[in-house]
Amino acid sequence: MTVPFVLKRVFQRSPKTTIKCALKLLVTSSRRWKQRISDDHYGTFPKIIPNSNSSNASNNLNSCFQSLSVDNLEPYREILSIYLKHILRHEFNLLGSGWIRVYYGLQAEGLEGIGYPALDKATDIISFLNKSNRREASRLRAMLAPDYEPIDWQIDFRSGYRWKESAWYRDIRYGEKIGADIKIPWELSRLQHLPSLALAYKLAKAGKFGFEAPERYLLEFQHQVLDFIAANPPRYGVCWVCPMDIAIRVINLIVAYDLFSNEEAHFDSSFVQYFVSSIQAHARHIEANLEWSSTGRGNHYLCNVAGLLFAGVWLSRSTETERWINFGTEELLKETTLQFNQDGSNVEGSTCYHRLSSEVVLWSSAILLKQGYLLPNEHLNRLRLMIEFTRAITKPDGTIPQIGDNDSGRLLKLIPTAENLDSDLKQFDLIEMGRVFFNRAQEFHSIEAALLHNLLSKGSLPLKFVENQIESETKPSVSFPDFGLYILRNTNFYVAVRSGGGGWYTAGNHTHNDQLSFDLSVNGKNFIIDTGTYVYSSLPDRRNQFRSTKMHNTLVIEGLEQNSWQPGMQGLFRLENQAKGKLLHFGEDEVQGEHRGYGFPYQRKFVLQNEQLRVTEHCSMSQNCTLYFHLDPLVSVVLKAGKVVLSRENVSIELFSISGMEQGEWVIENSETSLSYGCVVPTKLIKWQGLGKELYWTIKLVF
């Protein structure tokens, strides 16, 4: 956080508020200083006497997630078989990495030519920990099989950069080493692959082809959990920095444990003790480090709330767990109303973060229903609108328009999707879960929907909401003014237009410079798309490139951005709302919007007809400008007689000027797009460059 940024925040507040915040910071800093001294001296592992009262540790747990049937899993048997072979070899494919075996001494390939040296494989990994935690870590490692190869949980296995496991979590820094992406060890530490081990255990017990003996998956689950606990003492290392990731981890640990337990898997008694104490340590850490902010909070805090709720429900009842349940319930209801607009969209201005936050609210609401809690009608209605938002913006091919940031975040990832680059944009599982939750659907295709169905077998909704179901028909055109997203549809075309709307409650931390940009699909094929996100802090210049105006399908004035950002790390997750985008008109076949990001009004009008899309650009003065059109990677393009011909499979369209564009030319360039975090693929970019004030162009279906 830069000095100018801090000073700006101070001057924006009243003296009374500034003094109050300063005193709070002083108290918090003092508490953390005392905690750090205690941690360095006494260690942070929970005190456990192995094999003592181990039966009580498991008997008092409150299982939430029921076993899935073999029929539920059969459609995914082959992909699970392949996926689990990787997991058993400790190979992970996360955030664009490709399959990489993660171990101490790994020499990474590097990210865009930037790499860091490997560890000496002969190094004693226990010695990496701070002294106060080494004895307990040694005891935990003694529980692992001699042939088990530990996972290096501290490494960004794309660049090879390692954070220190001996560093207190508040001392961990990131964004300072080019190429080093802290999100990769964070993503691995979510342990979202562990529930898949339980699914494989189920199929192996059923004797399904492609799986090893059931005990192999059970043992691997226990080993990876113990390995993680031993390598990551509470409050030390990279895996304890972000409470959001800790919350997602605790939820996935609970789901995996329940799925194994409900298949009558027999856990080692000492393992159960360590597992339960680790869940407690996770929840206590979340409670002590809530990511709450009075000036704008988003998916991080929402995940904190869910983590405490899940842990409180799952652990045996105590004053502490009751506090977590009560807090989680109260905050879930508050945050759902705060973080989701009245039209059902998410306040962070990202369609992919909308999915993550919707999953968090949906699963947490289901947990409360299972406990017999009667959810308020306002909460249920907002949740239904959240699902409707995703359903309504879905394209004919099943993907959604990629608006704002996309970090490939999910709460649960029961079935691997890393092989499909656009899998983050296919969100049918969220829609199916909505139908299970509200419609009590009995037929579904996603594993998540099946798991939710089993969870809700004892829950019930108010009768009025059983009738208020998720719709099945898609409206031709639909508006989401709070988000600033407008969908035009007819038999041939799908157009998504970004105009005005949200993302500014959280200071634009996940929004892009995409005002009056659009996505286009024709006859079910994506032609013009948003270019995505690629990376965050590991490559700051690339982060800023992908959220810049030029990476969106809109008018660009050279040297200007719709909204500016500050230099440095702080600026990577903040945009100033200078464009002040707003909707001027929305109809069944028409959208018109305006923004002032260039210092003067710029308007764009889309009119959808049966076989063509007509667009008008209007600037308040004649400008040298460029129109950008970023193509889907599967689209081919040629210039032909002053027209741009785009083709994909058996569909072709023409892009051409009508008037006002005589003083310019069409250009085709190489470009790139990112369909999921950490991945870029080559594509083509169409540009019209010239002088104009009133520009008219159209896209027409040829065949």
Side-chain angles (χ1 to χ4, degrees):
M1 190 174 295
T2 63
V3 172
F5 174 77
V6 173
L7 291 176
K8 181 179 179 181
R9 294 292 295 273
V10 168
F11 288 124
Q12 287 175 339
R13 294 171 173 170
S14 66
K16 182 178 180 181
T17 301
T18 300
I19 293 172
K20 183 179 179 181
C21 290
L23 290 174
K24 182 179 179 181
L25 178 62
L26 182 64
V27 172
T28 302
S29 298
S30 175
R31 175 176 59 82
R32 287 173 178 164
W33 179 79
K34 292 178 181 179
Q35 180 72 68
R36 177 175 177 168
I37 296 298
S38 174
D39 290 348
D40 283 342
H41 186 72
Y42 297 107
T44 58
F45 282 114
K47 299 299 183 285
I48 294 176
I49 302 175
N51 298 316
S52 64
N53 299 321
S54 58
S55 60
N56 291 336
S58 59
N59 291 340
N60 294 329
L61 300 176
N62 302 295
S63 178
C64 298
F65 295 92
Q66 305 303 310
S67 178
L68 296 169
S69 70
V70 173
D71 288 342
N72 290 147
L73 300 176
E74 180 59 33
Y76 303 96
R77 178 180 57 79
E78 185 175 354
I79 191 172
L80 276 171
S81 173
I82 296 171
Y83 177 65
L84 267 299
K85 286 180 171 64
H86 288 292
I87 299 303
L88 292 176
R89 294 193 295 262
H90 298 175
E91 296 171 354
F92 302 96
N93 183 4
L94 300 174
L95 304 183
S97 69
W99 290 108
I100 297 177
R101 186 168 67 92
V102 182
Y103 59 94
Y104 290 87
L106 166 68
Q107 180 61 66
E109 292 185 4
L111 176 63
E112 295 198 356
I114 303 169
Y116 293 86
L119 279 175
D120 181 0
K121 291 186 68 174
T123 305
D124 176 17
I125 61 178
I126 294 295
S127 67
F128 291 169
L129 303 176
N130 64 307
K131 290 183 179 179
S132 61
N133 281 313
R134 291 177 187 173
R135 177 177 295 180
E136 189 63 22
S138 296
R139 180 186 295 179
L140 280 158
R141 292 217 171 274
M143 298 172 63
L144 301 176
D147 60 349
Y148 176 83
E149 183 176 37
I151 296 169
D152 188 349
W153 303 98
Q154 307 294 323
I155 192 171
D156 163 13
F157 47 84
R158 290 195 76 175
S159 72
Y161 184 81
R162 289 190 85 255
W163 283 265
K164 294 181 178 180
E165 44 268 82
S166 61
W168 201 56
Y169 76 107
R170 284 278 170 182
D171 295 336
I172 296 286
R173 296 290 178 264
Y174 57 94
E176 299 175 351
K177 297 290 185 179
I178 296 297
D181 195 343
I182 199 169
K183 283 184 64 62
I184 288 183
W186 281 355
E187 190 80 8
L188 178 60
S189 76
R190 291 179 177 185
L191 303 181
Q192 290 175 311
H193 60 280
L194 293 186
S196 296
L197 285 168
L199 302 183
Y201 180 81
K202 172 81 174 184
L203 290 169
K205 280 185 63 178
K208 293 296 181 177
F209 177 77
F211 295 89
E212 299 186 26
E215 292 74 18
R216 178 73 174 91
Y217 303 103
L218 175 61
L219 190 61
E220 183 66 23
F221 170 69
Q222 293 184 97
H223 280 166
Q224 285 200 26
V225 170
L226 292 172
D227 179 19
F228 181 87
I229 295 173
N232 297 280
R235 296 187 294 282
Y236 282 92
V238 71
C239 300
W240 291 95
V241 173
C242 181
M244 172 200 186
D245 295 289
I246 296 165
I248 293 176
R249 177 165 69 240
V250 79
I251 291 170
N252 278 271
L253 284 167
I254 288 171
V255 171
Y257 187 97
D258 278 359
L259 291 178
F260 271 114
S261 295
N262 285 307
E263 283 299 316
E264 300 180 350
H266 178 70
F267 293 114
D268 178 83
S269 57
S270 295
F271 168 80
V272 175
Q273 290 179 280
Y274 280 109
F275 187 90
V276 172
S277 67
S278 181
I279 297 296
Q280 293 171 327
H282 277 70
R284 289 166 182 165
H285 185 84
I286 295 168
E287 185 180 34
N289 296 275
L290 292 169
E291 295 170 280
W292 186 91
S293 169
S294 61
T295 58
R297 53 192 180 273
N299 64 89
H300 279 241
Y301 183 64
L302 194 60
C303 287
N304 299 167
V305 169
L308 287 174
L309 179 61
F310 272 69
V313 167
W314 190 77
L315 292 167
S316 58
R317 290 293 181 267
S318 67
T319 302
E320 185 176 47
T321 58
E322 289 291 347
R323 183 176 72 248
W324 294 339
I325 294 172
N326 292 336
F327 174 84
T329 302
E330 181 179 350
E331 291 300 293
L332 176 69
L333 300 180
K334 287 182 181 178
E335 293 303 309
T336 300
T337 302
L338 176 70
Q339 294 195 30
F340 289 90
N341 299 308
Q342 292 186 4
D343 62 10
S345 62
N346 188 264
V347 298
E348 295 193 73
S350 160
T351 50
C352 289
Y353 277 95
H354 174 93
R355 177 197 208 174
L356 169 64
S357 294
S358 296
E359 288 177 343
V360 173
V361 174
L362 183 60
W363 284 110
S364 299
S365 300
I367 285 289
L368 288 175
L369 282 180
K370 183 176 177 63
Q371 303 307 306
Y373 186 87
L374 189 62
L375 293 167
N377 287 345
E378 180 185 10
H379 176 83
L380 288 168
N381 187 56
R382 191 64 56 94
L383 176 55
R384 182 181 60 80
L385 290 173
M386 290 151 54
I387 308 299
E388 288 285 8
F389 172 81
T390 298
R391 191 190 66 81
I393 69 172
T394 299
K395 301 179 182 181
D397 71 338
T399 64
I400 62 163
Q402 192 172 200
I403 309 297
D405 278 344
N406 174 10
D407 77 339
S408 301
R410 301 283 306 279
L411 187 66
L412 298 174
K413 294 183 178 181
L414 300 181
I415 298 297
T417 56
E419 302 292 351
N420 301 316
L421 290 179
D422 65 349
S423 60
D424 296 337
L425 308 180
K426 294 180 178 178
Q427 302 187 4
F428 73 94
D429 52 345
L430 176 62
I431 299 170
E432 277 204 331
M433 286 192 291
R435 290 191 173 119
V436 167
F437 191 95
F438 285 102
N439 303 16
R440 287 299 188 261
Q442 299 296 314
E443 296 183 5
F444 31 77
H445 299 93
S446 76
I447 294 297
E448 288 83 1
L451 188 66
L452 181 66
H453 177 267
N454 289 354
L455 175 65
L456 289 173
S457 59
K458 295 182 180 180
S460 61
L461 290 171
L463 289 178
K464 63 181 293 185
F465 270 92
V466 174
E467 298 174 359
N468 200 0
Q469 300 180 345
I470 301 297
E471 296 182 20
S472 57
E473 295 185 2
T474 301
K475 297 178 181 179
S477 298
V478 62
S479 66
F480 295 96
D482 295 331
F483 189 96
L485 184 59
Y486 301 88
I487 310 298
L488 302 177
R489 282 188 182 91
N490 63 21
T491 304
N492 301 304
F493 284 74
Y494 166 103
V495 185
V497 178
R498 179 83 159 113
S499 181
W504 307 112
Y505 168 74
T506 52
N509 60 348
H510 289 305
T511 57
H512 288 187
N513 282 343
D514 57 3
Q515 283 297 304
L516 302 183
S517 182
F518 74 104
D519 273 31
L520 173 68
S521 297
V522 181
N523 285 357
K525 311 295 182 184
N526 292 331
F527 275 81
I528 298 172
I529 62 172
D530 188 285
T531 59
T533 299
Y534 186 31
V535 291
Y536 284 165
S537 62
S538 58
L539 299 170
D541 290 343
R542 297 285 264 161
R543 159 65 168 161
N544 288 331
Q545 174 194 352
F546 272 82
R547 63 177 178 154
S548 70
T549 310
K550 287 185 177 181
M551 294 300 280
H552 296 88
N553 306 305
T554 188
L555 180 141
V556 174
I557 305 295
E558 188 63 35
L560 298 179
E561 286 289 343
Q562 293 182 359
N563 306 287
S564 63
W565 56 76
Q566 298 173 4
M569 180 66 182
Q570 186 64 41
L572 295 181
F573 296 95
R574 181 173 292 269
L575 282 179
E576 303 296 333
N577 185 14
Q578 297 157 334
K580 305 298 182 184
K582 64 179 181 180
L583 178 75
L584 298 179
H585 174 71
F586 173 75
E588 185 176 344
D589 55 6
E590 183 176 312
V591 178
Q592 184 175 7
E594 176 186 280
H595 79 73
R596 295 171 176 261
Y598 302 138
F600 56 83
Y602 157 57
Q603 296 181 6
R604 196 175 220 185
K605 181 179 180 180
F606 298 82
V607 178
L608 181 61
Q609 298 173 348
N610 185 38
E611 294 187 348
Q612 66 178 354
L613 173 68
R614 298 172 65 92
V615 180
T616 305
E617 319 274 354
H618 176 76
C619 299
S620 59
M621 61 186 76
S622 185
Q623 294 285 334
N624 284 307
C625 58
T626 305
L627 298 177
Y628 278 71
F629 304 86
H630 294 272
L631 305 185
D632 184 276
L634 298 179
V635 173
S636 60
V637 55
V638 295
L639 286 175
K640 188 176 181 181
K643 298 179 180 180
V644 183
V645 181
L646 310 177
S647 301
R648 180 173 176 183
E649 299 176 21
N650 60 341
V651 182
S652 290
I653 59 176
E654 289 180 345
L655 167 61
F656 56 92
S657 58
I658 297 177
S659 66
M661 301 173 71
E662 294 79 11
Q663 300 183 54
E665 62 176 343
W666 294 102
V667 178
I668 300 174
E669 295 181 358
N670 293 324
S671 187
E672 55 190 354
T673 191
S674 175
L675 300 177
S676 59
Y677 187 93
C679 295
V680 286
V681 293
T683 186
K684 294 294 183 180
L685 164 66
I686 303 169
K687 296 197 299 187
W688 179 87
Q689 300 171 324
L691 180 67
K693 179 179 180 180
E694 196 91 16
L695 311 176
Y696 299 88
W697 54 269
T698 189
I699 293 176
K700 184 177 181 180
L701 176 64
V702 181
F703 58 84

